[in-house]
Every structure is written in C-alpha cells, then in structure tokens.
Amino acid sequence: MHAVNSPVFDETGGVAGVISVAFDVTAERATQEQLRQMLSLAQILRDVGRALVSELDAERVMQTVTDAARRLTGASVGIFMRSTDEEGRDTEMTVVAVSGRTSTETLGRRIPATLVALHQALGEPKPTTFDDFSEAGHDGALDEIVTASGGLLRSCVIAPVRSRSGALIGGMLLADTEPGRFGGVDEQMLGDIAAQAGIVLDIARVFRAAEREIAQRRRAEADQRFLAETSALLSWSLDYPESYERLAQLCVPYLADLCLIDVAEDDGIRRRAAVHADPDRDDLVSQLETQFAPDPIGAHPAASVVRGGRSEMAPDMSDEFLRSTTRSEEHYRVVKSLGFASYMCVPLTARGRNLGALTLVSAGSDRHFDAADLALAEELARRAGLALDNARLFAERDHVARALQSSLLPPSLPSIPGVALAARYRAAGEGNEVGGDFYDVFQVGRSAWTLVLGDVSGKGPEAAAIAGLARHTMRAVAMQRRTPRRLLSALHDTLAHGEGQGEFCTVCCALLQPARHQPGSARLTVACAGHPPPVIRRAGGIVELADTSGPILGLPMRTMNFCQQVLELEAGDTVVMYTDGVTEAHHHSQELFGEERLLETVRTAPADVDGVADAILAAVCAYGPSDPRDDVAVIVLRMNGESS
C-alpha cells in the first residue's frame, strides 16, 4: 500500500486532525519489477547479439546466456545442456556451460534424457517449473543433473532450446536451494532467453557447416595444386636416384614434418631419402637415413608396406609402438628427440610393381593425421610411383644406350708414328638415344692405317645396329681390300642386300700410309660415299677441301662407282674428317653453319689436334641450339714431322 497523510488545522493554527488517503500499488510494483526484468533481459539479449555478431561461437553463446539467466533470476546455479545429435534424436544430453556455485564434475556430465523431470520438461513447448524436488517422486532426481557446492538444490525451471525448424538442440536449467523459488516471470524470461539462444545456435550451426564446407573446398583446392605441382616437378627430372630425394623434399612441410622413403633391394631394405622440414634437425635425420633403415622382417610399418602390405596410419604413436619399431636404443633416442607423434606409411607402386614405401611423420608440429591426410598421401604415392618408375626406366635405357653407343666407337685411338690423332663425339638428344654416327681408326698393314667416319640415316637402336654393322664390316673387309673405294663397295653390297634393313649411310674412308724414306710426310687416299669431304689445313695456313665424292651407301642401285683422291701430306699438315652434324647445325630460322664457317674455324684453330677438335665443337655449339638435333663426330689428323 502507498499512504498519504495530511494534517488538518483549526482557526488558531493548531492540528485538529489528520486526513489519510491510501492506495493499493501492488500492480504498480509488479509492473516496475517486470520493467526491471525486461531491461535486464534486453541487456542479456544484447550480450547474446554481440556474441553472435562477433564470432558466432556456439560455446561462447551458451556460456553467455547461462550466466545471464542465472544473474537475472538470482538462481543458485545454471547449466546449459546440449544434445550431441543436432537433429534432436539423441537420448543423452551433455552439460557444456555452467554458472554459479556448481561442483567441478558438473561440466561435461552426460545426462540421460530419459530422466523423468528432464524428459517431461524438454518435451514441452514452454519452460517447466519444479517447486520442490524433495517431494515424493522427485527425490534426488535434480542431483543427477546438476550438483551445487553450497547446499542441496530443491527447485528448478527447465526450458527446451530448439532450432528454427523446431528440433531440440539443448536445454537450459536454473536451480536454487530454496523450494518454490521460480515463478511465472522467471519462466517467461527463461523461455525468451532459450528461444533467442536457439536461434543463435542454429545460425552458428549453419555458419559452422559453411565454414567446414569452405575449409574442405580450400583444402581440396590446395591438395589439387600440391598434387599438380608435385607431379610436374617430379616429371622434370629423370635422374633416378635424385627423384627419391626430390619427392621427399616436396612432401615437407605440406604433408608432414618428416618424410622417409624406403625401397627393397637384394640385401634388405635401403633408405633412399630422409628429409625434415626443419634444417636444424638434419643431423638426427641423417642418422635415420644412413644407420636405421627398417628391419626387413621387423614390425616397422615401412617393412610391412615394402613386403606388399597396405597403407598404415596412426593418429598417435605410443611409446610402446616406438619401442617395437626401432632397431636399437640409439634409434629410439633419435625418434624421441625428433618428437614422433603421428605417421602414415603408403606404398609406392607403378605398373603393378611395389617400388617401396613412403613414410610421412608428424615430428614437432603436433599434427595428427586422419583419413583425409591418408587419402592425399596415397594419391601422391600413386603419382610419384609412376614418376619414379619412369625415371628408373629412363636410367636403364640410358645405361643401355651408353653401352651400345660405346660399342660403336673405338675405346681408344691407335698410336701412329709421326702422326697425332684426336676424335670427338657428341650425341644428339638427352643421352638415352643411340646416335647413328660412328668412327674408327685401325691398322691394316705394317705401315698403313684406315680411318673411317660415317653417318647412318635415322636414330635409335636401328641406326645403331647399322652403324655397328658398317664399322665391323669395314674392319673385316679392310684386311683384304685396303683401298677406300673397294671398302665402300663392299659395305654398299652388305647394306644393299638385306643386311641394312632398308637404312642407308654416308661414309668417308681414308688410307694413311706414312712415307718410309721421308720422315714427317705421308700419303692419304680418301674416298667418300655421300659424305662431306675432309678439310686440309696446310702447314703454311692454307685451308682447302678434298675433291672426292660418291653415292650414298645402301641405295637400291645396280652399279656403284666410287672415286678416290690421293693427298700428299707434309709435316705440319692437318686433316679434319667430320659428319654433317657440323655443317648442318642451325636454329629454326637460321642458315646452316656451312662449309665456310667450318673452314674459317679450322684456319684459326690451335695447331695441336685436340685444339682443332675442341674449336670445331665449340663453334658448332655456340652457333646452333644448346641441344643439337644431329650427332657430331670429328677426327683430326696432323703430321708431326717425326720419323717413322
């Protein structure tokens, strides 16, 4: 009641009485209290709104509304229970936010949604109030949900929290040690807060889903970029041993902190590469590479994968696991120092063959691998396996090519009294293709030597076979037919009658006969079959071309006539025999290197035979492309003026 008392005065000014007027202000006081609560609620909702705008952090929102509701009602404790099923089908709730004087074990408590009070309240559209849990039927039930640190909880109000679609996503509970603590106003207020929290959490859930989708897309794009760049980088190098090291370097740090690559060999498992993202760990990693390759019959995952097993992964590596996979106490110390935490081991396969094992380790970054990481590692291993196998095949082909190419050339040049010899050979391509150029110098009598330089049409094994046939045919026939033109005729007959397999070749053949009674001089008989004639540099500096020519060997012609020229050589004279890879060197739109440039190069070259040969190769390389399109072969002969 609100009363107003007014005094009544008489004519003399004295108090004659009191007039008292009283008003019933119960409704007004209730309205004022509701207004206060509404203002507090508005403040709470503003706090929730700020949390929503700032981060859309569901955990922060749940803690904010729980604290606000408890402060607003003056309840002893408040909790927020969340369903682990976003569709509300779960039969269990988890306490994810607490406020007030609650015991430490309340947070994280899992509560069966089948509890009578909880099941009843969460099934209602509005909050439900329980005045006294000490009554029969409810005794002790509240303690199963929340435990206070300041006394037994007796009353509570529970409000369901629903998404915009109506699915149950949680519940809010306010409890107090006094019975009958919560009234209609508290129910209304908690219901409003729960409704607002439901909207916020629903938006946060959608936002989290969008964030996950964006993160997954970004991860997928980054993975595809990584795979594309890795494939390109691996394909650039065909150096087989280097490819393993390159692969390991590409894996860190994007896939892991440490990459190990192991392959099976005859004497066990060999560790081909070990690379860590931190250069300061190189000493420890070097020990892993050189000293601690996996035991072929041990428990190491790489050994199992190398033996043909499937991929293996562990989000965590226990100390027991590390003990079982290390080979010694020192090995165990190294892996502990590197901080092994998680690993993946995937097979490197190509064309149905198991090349080895790729092991990726989290060592220092606290990263823990999952199924998505394993899928990426397996895709990388599949691509890398193919690149490694290509490098292996290239290395084998290169070895075969080099062995075959060396069989087409003499291992060394003979020593001819009074004569200096030099030869150069530069194959076109990247080293894995056999060239068709060949040369040879061999003795055919007591004081006679044959010099042969040729070029077979085409490249590859077919051309190499013809080059080998031509070289050995010339050697065999030269013992009976010493003159160059007869040698060329014999070789033509061999190629034209089926042995040449349709290929043809050009040859420059010369017979060197030093003069017995005139030291430093010699006779050089030259015959060419479709081949550029030799260049002669006289002792006085004059440079000229030999004048001899003939048809290409192997063409389907009935008669083949070869002419030969006799050159008299004196002391200081130099003769250069070469293939057309010299004169035909050029860029795409450039004119050929040609005879004129060759003659000038020979004229200005040093006096010794090695200087002449090197000058020709240098001039051709400088003029033409860095990767020659044709093989280059050169033989340089010089009369030294010494006695036979």
Side-chain angles (χ1 to χ4, degrees), residues 13-91:
V15 177
V18 176
I19 299 176
S20 181
V21 180
F23 303 91
D24 184 354
V25 295
T26 301
E28 181 181 352
R29 291 295 175 89
T31 301
Q32 291 176 352
E33 179 63 21
Q34 289 179 352
L35 179 60
R36 183 189 65 80
Q37 291 181 341
M38 290 177 64
L39 291 175
S40 299
L41 177 59
Q43 180 61 45
I44 299 301
L45 297 182
R46 281 196 296 271
D47 293 342
V48 173
R50 280 196 295 269
L52 171 63
V53 173
S54 61
E55 297 182 19
L56 279 176
D57 186 338
E59 284 68 26
R60 180 178 173 183
V61 169
M62 289 184 286
Q63 186 62 55
T64 299
V65 296
T66 302
D67 288 337
R70 188 193 64 79
R71 291 198 312 269
L72 191 59
T73 60
S76 300
V77 297
I79 65 171
F80 195 109
M81 301 167 287
R82 187 171 186 178
S83 171
T84 55
D85 184 355
E86 292 186 349
E87 300 299 327
R89 296 187 298 265
D90 212 347
T91 59

Side-chain angles (χ1 to χ4, degrees), residues 417-488:
V419 177
L421 283 175
R424 297 291 186 270
Y425 183 87
R426 184 187 182 193
E430 298 179 355
N432 66 323
E433 293 185 359
V434 185
D437 287 10
F438 65 95
Y439 68 86
D440 201 358
V441 181
F442 53 91
Q443 189 170 4
V444 293
R446 183 176 180 182
S447 59
W449 284 264
T450 295
L451 295 83
V452 179
L453 187 128
D455 183 3
V456 178
S457 62
K459 294 187 181 301
E462 296 80 5
I466 302 302
L469 174 65
R471 177 172 173 241
H472 293 298
T473 297
M474 298 286 277
R475 271 184 172 260
V477 175
M479 297 303 170
Q480 300 174 351
R481 307 178 184 180
R482 291 172 53 180
T483 62
R485 62 184 177 186
R486 296 183 67 186
L487 288 178
L488 295 178

Side-chain angles (χ1 to χ4, degrees), residues 15-268:
V15 177
V18 176
I19 299 176
S20 181
V21 180
F23 303 91
D24 184 354
V25 295
T26 301
E28 181 181 352
R29 291 295 175 89
T31 301
Q32 291 176 352
E33 179 63 21
Q34 289 179 352
L35 179 60
R36 183 189 65 80
Q37 291 181 341
M38 290 177 64
L39 291 175
S40 299
L41 177 59
Q43 180 61 45
I44 299 301
L45 297 182
R46 281 196 296 271
D47 293 342
V48 173
R50 280 196 295 269
L52 171 63
V53 173
S54 61
E55 297 182 19
L56 279 176
D57 186 338
E59 284 68 26
R60 180 178 173 183
V61 169
M62 289 184 286
Q63 186 62 55
T64 299
V65 296
T66 302
D67 288 337
R70 188 193 64 79
R71 291 198 312 269
L72 191 59
T73 60
S76 300
V77 297
I79 65 171
F80 195 109
M81 301 167 287
R82 187 171 186 178
S83 171
T84 55
D85 184 355
E86 292 186 349
E87 300 299 327
R89 296 187 298 265
D90 212 347
T91 59
E92 199 172 45
M93 308 291 286
T94 302
V95 178
V96 293
V98 297
S99 181
R101 301 189 302 273
T102 59
S103 59
T104 55
E105 66 270 12
T106 299
L107 187 63
R109 177 180 293 178
R110 302 182 72 85
I111 306 168
T114 55
L115 288 177
V116 176
L118 191 59
H119 180 72
Q120 175 185 345
L122 296 179
E124 296 293 330
K126 295 182 179 181
T128 302
T129 300
F130 298 90
D131 290 331
D132 195 347
F133 271 87
S134 63
E135 297 177 354
H138 293 294
D139 188 21
L142 189 56
D143 290 339
E144 297 183 42
I145 303 174
V146 58
T147 305
S149 59
L152 182 65
L153 296 172
R154 298 185 60 182
S155 61
C156 76
V157 55
I158 303 174
V161 179
R162 301 184 183 276
S163 67
R164 289 171 295 179
S165 63
L168 181 69
I169 58 176
M172 295 184 66
L173 181 147
L174 299 174
D176 200 85
T177 55
E178 296 181 8
R181 175 67 177 74
F182 303 102
V185 174
D186 297 316
E187 287 184 6
Q188 180 64 39
M189 178 206 63
L190 186 60
D192 291 342
I193 293 178
Q196 182 71 11
I199 295 174
V200 174
L201 293 176
D202 198 34
I203 294 174
R205 178 185 61 82
V206 174
F207 183 76
R208 286 198 309 273
E211 279 188 325
R212 286 195 297 270
E213 183 178 356
I214 293 172
Q216 290 172 357
R217 289 183 179 179
R218 288 177 177 172
R219 173 65 186 272
E221 292 174 357
D223 289 348
Q224 289 303 316
R225 261 194 320 271
F226 169 74
L227 290 173
E229 293 172 357
T230 302
S231 300
L233 290 172
L234 286 174
S235 65
W236 285 351
S237 174
L238 290 175
D239 186 318
Y240 185 49
E242 180 186 337
S243 296
Y244 285 105
E245 188 73 19
R246 181 184 293 271
L247 172 60
Q249 292 171 350
L250 292 172
C251 288
V252 297
Y254 186 80
L255 285 182
D257 303 310
L258 173 66
C259 178
L260 306 170
I261 301 178
D262 302 290
V263 298
E265 296 191 351
D266 294 339
D267 57 348

Side-chain angles (χ1 to χ4, degrees), residues 484-610:
R485 62 184 177 186
R486 296 183 67 186
L487 288 178
L488 295 178
S489 295
L491 179 57
H492 169 72
D493 292 339
T494 301
L495 297 177
H497 291 84
E499 297 295 333
Q501 302 177 1
E503 300 289 344
F504 58 88
C505 70
T506 65
V507 176
C508 178
C509 181
L511 178 65
L512 178 65
Q513 298 171 297
R516 295 184 179 182
H517 306 295
Q518 190 175 356
S521 62
R523 173 178 293 178
L524 185 69
T525 306
V526 181
C528 292
H531 201 87
V535 176
I536 303 96
R537 183 178 71 179
R538 297 299 181 179
I542 298 175
V543 178
E544 59 189 40
L545 282 172
D547 184 16
T548 179
S549 62
I552 296 175
L553 301 180
L555 293 179
M557 299 175 63
R558 292 185 179 180
T559 59
M560 297 287 281
N561 296 318
F562 302 98
C563 61
Q564 59 188 26
Q565 179 184 10
V566 178
L567 301 173
E568 298 296 338
L569 303 179
E570 302 296 335
D573 289 349
T574 301
V575 178
V576 177
M577 300 168 63
Y578 59 94
T579 59
D580 59 8
V582 173
T583 54
E584 294 181 0
H586 70 289
H587 283 292
H588 293 292
S589 58
Q590 195 177 28
E591 63 179 7
L592 301 182
F593 185 78
E595 290 181 349
E596 294 298 326
R597 290 184 177 84
L598 174 61
L599 295 175
E600 180 62 21
T601 301
V602 173
R603 187 184 66 80
T604 58
D608 62 292
V609 290
D610 287 312

